[in-house]
Amino acid sequence: MTALRKLLALLTPLALLATLLSPLQAFALFEECKDLFPNQQVPTSSQVGRDLCFDSFAIYYSPQDKKPIYTVEKLNRAQLLAPHPRRSNQFYEEARLPFAERAQLSDYRSSGYDRGHNAPAGDMSNERAMAQSFSLANMMPQARQNNQGIWAKNVEEPTRLYAKRAAGDIYVFTGSTGKQGSIGRGRVTIPSHLYKLVYDPQKNSAWAYWIENNNEAMMSPPISYAELMEKTGIDFQLPIKTDAQPSKQSVLTPLPAKLQKPLVGGWYPIFFDEYSPEKVNALIARIQECKVSSVQIQYDLNSELAKRIAAQIGSQTALFVSPIQSSPPDSASVTYERNRVTAIVRSK
């Protein structure tokens, strides 16, 4: 039994490494969350990225820009009228991405830019989805007053209000484009423009909000679906007649596509502001029930807590868990981040 555990402990990190080293692709599959897309049709773009599925949204992520190319959500009245969990404000680095491709918490420190949600926390209807929405893979560097003002009040909230009135499901794509510099050592691209595309299949109609990414941005009338395709170079595959073709001026030159399984899976964070035997034991129980394939422990200052959790998991399961240090940005409103430990769990 001891020999078997040692063998499994060796194979687990090797399997995770193989996943992280899977090649990039210029097309998206989203095999585990196609139901989030209209008619299960995934947008086409020549931008090279990685597929990331979450419980309530999906991300096509740019390893070069270290922010979403786009996110997609399926919203409806019942979902948004249900009691919502409290906003967690607990940002974390996306463990599915190789280190060289992921945005880090420290990239946003003293940058002057907010960690702007693409799939908004306000759309999430349960605690797990809320926690997942704070992945840095879901963030873009957004001008602070823009994020907290015009974007929240004149884009995100009207979209939710429309979903509450709609006869059925609506689909929302959110993203950004252009470049006006970068932030952090990781050089996370600061986009010049932000957009949110709303599609109502009951009416077979679509429109998009399009605003500049600065603190002086002003609202303008929504643009058409055809115009958004022209501006972004993305064909969102909506069943709407248009003669427009996506522009190729704003997209990257694609790498040769390889038929490899994208980085998808049931990943979710567990937060520790202090040691919690209940949380650790519950996680260990899931591992022992063969419901977890890997765990990554992220910490900033509290290495003692991170090592304690990792050691307990390692002593009671065959998983190899190694704490990884990451530094969150300064925050005037969130003071617990520096001592927080985050377990990034991947379900089987």
Side-chain angles (χ1 to χ4, degrees):
M1 184 65 181
T2 302
L4 178 60
R5 287 185 60 186
K6 289 183 177 179
L7 177 61
L8 290 174
L10 176 63
L11 292 177
T12 299
L14 291 176
L16 178 59
L17 179 62
T19 301
L20 293 177
L21 292 178
S22 62
L24 295 174
Q25 51 199 22
F27 61 94
L29 298 178
F30 293 103
E31 292 177 339
E32 298 184 10
C33 55
K34 272 193 174 180
D35 60 322
L36 292 173
F37 294 84
N39 299 319
Q40 298 191 8
Q41 295 298 306
V42 176
T44 57
S45 168
S46 60
Q47 295 187 73
V48 176
R50 292 199 184 271
D51 307 13
L52 297 171
C53 287
F54 296 82
D55 289 0
S56 298
F57 61 98
I59 299 174
Y60 190 44
Y61 178 85
S62 169
Q64 176 173 324
D65 294 327
K66 299 182 179 178
K67 65 178 183 64
I69 297 170
Y70 64 77
T71 65
V72 63
E73 305 170 79
K74 181 166 65 174
L75 303 176
N76 58 53
R77 174 181 173 84
Q79 174 186 346
L80 292 175
L81 290 180
H84 273 51
R86 182 179 178 182
R87 181 184 171 97
S88 68
N89 284 331
Q90 300 190 82
F91 298 87
Y92 65 95
E93 297 174 11
E94 182 53 59
R96 281 175 284 183
L97 298 169
F99 281 105
E101 297 178 6
R102 70 175 70 165
Q104 298 185 37
L105 291 162
S106 57
D107 287 327
Y108 284 84
R109 176 179 290 143
S110 303
S111 68
Y113 285 87
D114 275 4
R115 295 161 287 190
H117 281 70
N118 281 251
D123 291 354
M124 304 303 148
S125 58
N126 59 70
E127 290 186 359
R128 176 161 152 157
M130 173 67 76
Q132 290 177 343
S133 77
F134 282 86
S135 166
L136 286 191
N138 187 36
M139 304 299 152
M140 57 188 170
Q142 188 171 1
R144 186 153 297 161
Q145 294 178 32
N146 183 303
N147 179 38
Q148 300 174 17
I150 190 172
W151 185 257
K153 298 174 183 177
N154 297 89
V155 177
E156 291 180 338
E157 187 56 32
T159 300
R160 281 190 285 270
L161 290 175
Y162 183 86
K164 292 175 183 178
R165 297 194 304 266
D169 293 331
I170 70 166
Y171 297 85
V172 180
F173 293 88
T174 306
S176 57
T177 188
K179 183 173 183 178
Q180 51 180 351
S182 62
I183 61 170
R185 289 186 177 181
R187 303 188 65 81
V188 182
T189 295
I190 304 169
S192 62
H193 291 81
L194 319 173
Y195 67 86
K196 189 176 289 288
L197 170 65
V198 181
Y199 171 59
D200 186 343
Q202 306 299 320
K203 298 181 178 180
N204 196 33
S205 63
W207 63 94
Y209 299 97
W210 175 268
I211 67 172
E212 296 181 54
N213 183 26
N214 58 54
N215 290 324
E216 295 75 36
M218 302 291 291
M219 286 301 299
S220 57
I223 64 175
S224 68
Y225 171 52
E227 188 175 354
L228 182 68
M229 286 200 299
E230 179 69 23
K231 288 178 177 292
T232 62
I234 301 172
D235 184 347
F236 294 92
Q237 297 293 318
L238 301 184
I240 296 177
K241 291 183 179 180
T242 173
D243 295 328
Q245 296 295 324
S247 168
K248 298 185 182 299
Q249 296 179 356
S250 62
V251 299
L252 305 175
T253 302
L255 297 178
K258 297 184 179 181
L259 295 176
Q260 297 287 337
K261 185 175 177 63
L263 297 180
V264 296
W267 292 73
Y268 62 94
I270 300 176
F271 302 109
F272 294 87
D273 291 319
E274 59 185 11
Y275 179 75
S276 170
E278 293 81 9
K279 289 182 180 180
V280 177
N281 290 333
L283 175 56
I284 289 174
R286 286 184 57 81
I287 297 172
Q288 293 173 339
E289 293 168 0
C290 298
K291 295 181 178 179
V292 172
S293 60
S294 65
V295 178
Q296 184 182 105
I297 305 293
Q298 296 179 5
Y299 73 95
D300 179 22
L301 299 180
N302 203 342
S303 61
E304 181 178 348
L305 176 57
K307 292 176 181 177
R308 181 179 181 182
I309 295 170
Q312 186 171 345
I313 294 173
S315 67
Q316 298 183 40
T317 74
L319 281 187
F320 175 81
V321 181
S322 179
I324 297 174
Q325 186 175 27
S326 62
S327 297
D330 296 326
S331 173
S333 59
V334 183
T335 58
Y336 50 76
E337 285 185 331
R338 306 305 299 272
N339 289 313
R340 185 192 67 211
V341 172
T342 305
I344 311 296
V345 182
R346 182 176 186 180
S347 299
K348 288 186 177 179

